[in-house]
Amino acid sequence: MKFARLTATCFAALTATAAHAETLTISWWGYNGEKLNANIVEPFKEICGCEIVFETGNNADRLGKLQARGGKGVDVIYLTDSYSQLGVEAGTFMKLDRTRIPNIENLYEMAQDPQGGFGPAYSVGRVGVVYDSEKVEPITSWSDLWRADLEGEVTLPGITTTAGPMVVVRAGAYAGVDAFDDSDTTFEAIEALKPSSVKNYNTGSEMVNLISTGEATVAIAQDFTLASLQSAVPTMVWAELEDGDIATLNTVNIPKGAENVDLAYEFINFVLSHEVQQVNAEQGVDAPVNTDVVLTPEQAALWTYGAEAIAKLNMMDYAKMNEVKIDWIDRWSEIFGL
């Protein structure tokens, strides 16, 4: 990847920042480490002249550690939107000055400010329905999950997974109510879905195993599992739902206790740049949110890509979800157990 296209102004700003902050501490998952090192870490270090250190782990562990330290010890934190919403509500992150992140203007609108003035999304995914096209009639709507011919064929995500609460929201829609306002009617629809469910899964690998062994032929899944599913069962397809998939956003925030705020702003702007977004998308690292990214059909097949696909996504209201989450977990457990 050629980073020579970075402007002289950007280079100068990064260099000036580095004079005041020699180390940037990033909290992230650590997946695709070699590619992230080549595409982001080393190019940014070369530009800023700084060192970069990491804190790795899952969403819950990393957010918990940050909050236990009073928001200190990390300059930039990567989280899925459901967990960054928890940080927002707890007052863990600072509101951002958009003028210091000019590349935000080049993002899809849903990625620019997904949580009310806090961090942007740097990648977008989706939750939808996958099915074995050799064994199952086409699925074209979320309501198809209640079809009689799918009894004993579906694996649902557990309620404490990313996709679990999304099942509840779609059950409400199937029943003709808002799940946040009418949980009784919603969970009657969940009860009606129980005969279809062979087992709740709690990890992507568990879901892939249920499909690969033939225990299930239909699943509610995140798009990053599709390649593994098709490797196990080549006839698995992603359903084209007339009522749309559900967006999952990966966000990047600056904690209130960050020591190197200037450098954190520059890093976020760098991650949102066309150059970084382009190479990460091409190499299968992250789905792009920068509208200038152009992919071949083969590259785009991995992702929720392009204005048309983005516009079809439904958004989760995580603030509302957090208010009812305990009740939903209890009600789900009464039906399925945990």
Side-chain angles (χ1 to χ4, degrees):
M1 179 178 59
K2 296 181 179 179
F3 286 93
R5 286 175 287 179
L6 289 171
T7 65
T9 301
C10 180
F11 184 92
L14 288 164
T15 303
T17 298
H20 300 286
E22 297 181 350
T23 301
L24 180 72
T25 303
I26 301 171
S27 174
W28 62 6
W29 296 278
Y31 302 148
N32 290 306
E34 291 185 4
K35 291 179 180 178
L36 290 173
N37 187 64
N39 298 346
I40 297 176
V41 176
E42 292 303 321
F44 188 74
K45 285 170 65 175
E46 184 176 344
I47 292 168
C48 72
C50 58
E51 292 299 319
I52 298 179
V53 297
F54 304 98
E55 183 170 278
T56 59
N58 64 34
N59 285 285
D61 289 345
R62 292 184 295 105
L63 180 59
K65 289 178 182 178
L66 177 64
Q67 291 176 331
R69 298 191 300 257
K72 298 179 180 180
V74 167
D75 299 308
V76 174
I77 185 166
Y78 285 59
L79 294 166
T80 60
D81 48 3
S82 60
Y83 279 90
S84 57
Q85 180 64 36
L86 292 173
V88 166
E89 292 173 4
T92 306
F93 312 132
M94 63 176 62
K95 285 202 170 187
L96 300 186
D97 178 356
R98 259 59 189 166
T99 65
R100 302 183 67 179
I101 313 174
N103 282 325
I104 277 184
E105 300 300 322
N106 300 323
L107 308 186
Y108 293 109
E109 185 175 351
M110 72 158 46
Q112 292 182 15
D113 185 14
Q115 293 172 317
F118 295 91
Y122 69 89
S123 181
V124 61
R126 56 183 171 161
V127 170
V129 179
V130 292
Y131 64 96
D132 187 341
S133 59
E134 193 173 73
K135 299 178 180 179
V136 176
E137 290 296 313
I139 293 174
T140 60
S141 170
W142 286 97
S143 63
D144 284 349
L145 294 171
W146 281 262
R147 286 184 347 208
D149 63 298
L150 296 186
E151 183 171 335
E153 297 292 332
V154 181
T155 178
L156 299 174
I159 188 60
T160 59
T161 67
T162 297
M166 299 177 184
V167 179
V168 180
V169 170
R170 296 314 309 178
Y174 171 76
V177 300
D178 184 328
F180 299 112
D181 296 332
D182 189 345
S183 57
D184 289 340
T185 302
T186 295
F187 276 89
E188 288 175 5
I190 293 289
E191 182 76 47
L193 186 59
K194 185 178 180 180
S196 298
S197 177
V198 293
K199 185 179 181 181
N200 287 185
Y201 70 84
N202 290 303
T203 65
S205 58
E206 184 181 2
M207 182 266 292
V208 172
N209 185 60
L210 288 165
I211 295 292
S212 66
T213 60
E215 293 178 72
T217 58
V218 179
I220 295 174
Q222 295 190 67
D223 56 358
F224 70 81
T225 64
L226 183 58
S228 296
L229 285 166
Q230 291 179 332
S231 177
V233 180
T235 49
M236 291 298 292
V237 297
W238 190 272
E240 295 294 329
L241 303 177
E242 59 192 24
D243 37 2
D245 297 324
I246 301 172
T248 57
L249 300 176
N250 288 332
T251 64
V252 58
N253 273 280
I254 303 176
K256 283 186 174 178
E259 294 183 2
N260 301 312
V261 174
D262 291 342
L263 197 56
Y265 269 110
E266 298 293 352
F267 178 81
I268 292 173
N269 194 55
F270 182 73
V271 168
L272 301 179
S273 69
H274 172 226
E275 291 83 2
V276 172
Q277 293 267 308
Q278 180 77 40
V279 72
N280 278 346
E282 289 176 354
Q283 295 183 7
V285 178
D286 284 313
V289 290
N290 188 303
T291 60
D292 294 330
V293 171
V294 178
L295 301 178
T296 67
E298 293 76 16
Q299 293 165 341
L302 292 173
W303 306 123
T304 303
Y305 165 74
E308 183 177 353
I310 295 291
K312 291 180 180 178
L313 293 175
N314 299 300
M315 297 292 291
M316 278 288 288
D317 189 331
Y318 288 108
K320 284 186 177 181
M321 190 198 78
N322 289 338
E323 293 177 0
V324 299
K325 190 173 184 179
I326 293 176
D327 178 60
W328 284 10
I329 291 173
D330 289 343
R331 286 174 175 261
W332 184 282
S333 299
E334 290 175 2
I335 297 172
F336 296 106
L338 278 179

